[in-house]
Amino acid sequence: MTVKVSHTAEVQNLFKEASGLNNEQGSPRLKQLTLRIISDLAKIIEDLEVSDDEFWTAVDYFNRLGGRNEAGLLVAGLGLEHFLDLLQDAKDAQIGLSGGTPRTIEGPLYVAGAPLAEGQVRMDDGSEDGVATVMFLEGVVRDTDGQPVSGAVVDLWHANTLGNYSYFDKSQSDYNLRRRIVTDAEGRYRARSIVPSGYGCSPDGPTQECLDQLGRHGQRPAHIHFFISAPGHRHLTTQINLAGEQYLWDDFAYATRDGLIGDIQFIENAAAARDRGIDGSRFATLEFNFELQKAPAPVAEQRSARPRALQQV
Ligand code: FE
C-alpha cells in the first residue's frame, strides 16, 4: 500500500509551519483552525484526485465569489448556515433549553440601524404603490410562559416586489422595507408594508454558477426576516416564510422550518380597504406571534457578532 503524501511527516510539518505553530505570535485559535483546514483540504485533494485544473478553477472561483460579495449567499445555499442552526438546536437540547419560536438563518442581507418606531409603522416608501399589495403585519411577542413582552425590539427586513433588498439594491430609498419596532404594553408590534416577492440568486453570479453545476435552483419563497430582542430574553434570529409559495419547502437556503410558516391572507374588499386607508380593494394581512426564551445569561440577549452592513445616511 502506498503511503498517502498528505499523511507524511514532511507534509504534516509543512502545514504546521504554514499554520504558524512554530512561532509564538498570532492567534492560537486561528492556528488550530488553519492547520485542520489545510490538512483536510490536502487529504481531499489526494483522496479525490483533484486535478491541477480543478484546483485552480476553485481558487479562481473564490476570487470571483468575493468579488461579487456572495460568500454569505453560497454558505446559505450549501446548507452550512442551516447546519449552524441545527448544531445550536442540538446544543440547546443537550442542556435542556427548549420552547419558543424556532430560529432560522439570518442570510446575508441585513443592514444595521434601521429606523426605530413605536406603534404602527409604515415600512415601504410608497415607490411601489399601485404595483405592490399592501400587507398589514402584526403580532405579539411573548415569553415561554405566555406573558407579553413589552419593549421588545422587532427588527425586520424584507424584499420588494422584485425580490430586491434596499441598500444592496441602490435604486431603493435608504432603509426601505427595514424597520425596528418596539412592542407596546401588550407586547404587540404592527407594521404596514407590502407583500414581498420571493427571489433567486443572481443568474450571472458565482453562487448560481455553483448551483447549476450541482443541478440545483437558487430560489427562495417569499419571506420576512426578524431579529427579536428584549432584556432578559434570548435573542431570536428567524424568518416567516409565506404559505402558498412555490418554493416554500424547496428553499435553496433551507430556511423554511415548521413553526415559521406565515399564513398570509389576501383580502378583496373595497370597504375594508378604505377603512384601512388604502386605494383599491385588495390587501393582505399576516398575523404572526413570537415566543422568546428566557436568557440563560446576559450574553444570550445579544445577536452574533457577525459582520453586517451599516448604512451611512
Ligand atoms: Fe431574505
Side-chain angles (χ1 to χ4, degrees):
M1 205 177 92
T2 52
V3 176
K4 296 257 181 181
V5 177
S6 55
H7 294 237
T8 59
E10 185 186 359
V11 169
Q12 292 298 308
N13 287 334
L14 167 70
F15 290 158
K16 275 186 191 145
E17 162 59 30
S19 302
L21 288 162
N22 296 339
N23 74 61
E24 299 302 318
Q25 286 81 50
S27 156
R29 176 64 174 163
L30 193 65
K31 292 178 185 193
Q32 176 192 31
L33 290 168
T34 301
L35 179 62
R36 177 66 184 264
I37 290 166
I38 59 179
S39 299
D40 283 6
L41 258 177
K43 287 172 187 162
I44 290 167
I45 289 167
E46 189 167 22
D47 292 351
L48 301 184
E49 298 180 32
V50 173
S51 70
D52 282 8
D53 286 355
E54 286 175 327
F55 180 83
W56 292 110
T57 297
V59 170
D60 176 65
Y61 179 81
F62 284 123
N63 277 335
R64 292 187 293 109
L65 186 70
R68 288 285 294 260
N69 219 4
E70 284 197 1
L73 196 61
L74 184 71
V75 294
L78 294 180
L80 286 167
E81 193 172 2
H82 181 52
F83 165 74
L84 295 181
D85 286 336
L86 296 176
L87 191 61
Q88 192 60 55
D89 290 350
K91 288 180 184 170
D92 286 358
Q94 227 163 31
I95 57 169
L97 265 181
S98 65
T101 304
R103 62 169 58 84
T104 198
I105 70 166
E106 173 181 332
L109 301 173
Y110 178 75
V111 178
L116 196 62
E118 292 183 36
Q120 174 160 313
V121 62
R122 182 164 176 180
M123 294 179 63
D124 68 297
D125 63 5
S127 59
E128 291 183 290
D129 279 357
V131 177
T133 302
V134 174
M135 173 179 72
F136 294 95
L137 168 65
E138 64 173 82
V140 178
V141 178
R142 297 187 176 90
D143 64 20
T144 47
D145 297 326
Q147 294 303 308
V149 180
S150 77
V153 176
V154 176
D155 190 344
L156 69 163
W157 68 105
H158 67 78
N160 67 5
T161 62
L162 299 174
N164 295 326
Y165 285 81
S166 63
Y167 179 85
F168 301 95
D169 168 15
K170 298 300 182 195
S171 76
Q172 295 184 45
S173 62
D174 291 344
Y175 289 116
N176 190 37
L177 311 176
R178 301 176 184 276
R179 289 295 182 277
R180 288 178 295 162
I181 305 171
V182 181
T183 58
D184 66 15
E186 282 80 50
R188 186 163 290 276
Y189 72 94
R190 291 185 299 144
R192 173 186 162 166
S193 195
I194 58 170
V195 178
S197 172
Y199 56 84
C201 301
S202 288
D204 65 345
T207 301
Q208 189 58 56
E209 177 188 328
C210 175
L211 293 170
D212 285 346
Q213 295 287 317
L214 301 177
R216 294 180 47 205
H217 69 73
Q219 302 296 314
R220 299 215 54 207
H223 58 274
I224 303 162
H225 296 266
F226 289 85
F227 283 155
I228 302 180
S229 56
H233 299 273
R234 200 170 183 204
H235 172 87
L236 175 67
T237 298
T238 196
Q239 300 181 21
I240 308 175
N241 287 269
L242 302 187
E245 284 281 310
Q246 179 186 355
Y247 293 102
L248 183 63
W249 291 107
D250 186 21
D251 174 7
F252 100 98
Y254 307 102
T256 308
R257 305 190 81 177
D258 283 328
L260 296 177
I261 313 300
D263 188 19
I264 191 164
Q265 303 288 326
F266 289 93
I267 293 160
E268 288 279 354
N269 184 324
R274 205 171 328 112
D275 284 350
R276 288 183 180 256
I278 53 176
D279 296 331
S281 59
R282 182 177 164 82
F283 62 97
T285 61
L286 175 54
E287 187 174 356
F288 200 93
N289 302 322
F290 295 93
E291 252 184 49
L292 298 182
Q293 292 179 358
K294 291 255 186 313
V299 67
E301 296 172 16
Q302 309 297 324
R303 65 189 182 215
S304 78
R306 170 180 180 160
R308 295 177 177 88
L310 176 63
Q311 181 121 37
Q312 304 295 329
V313 180

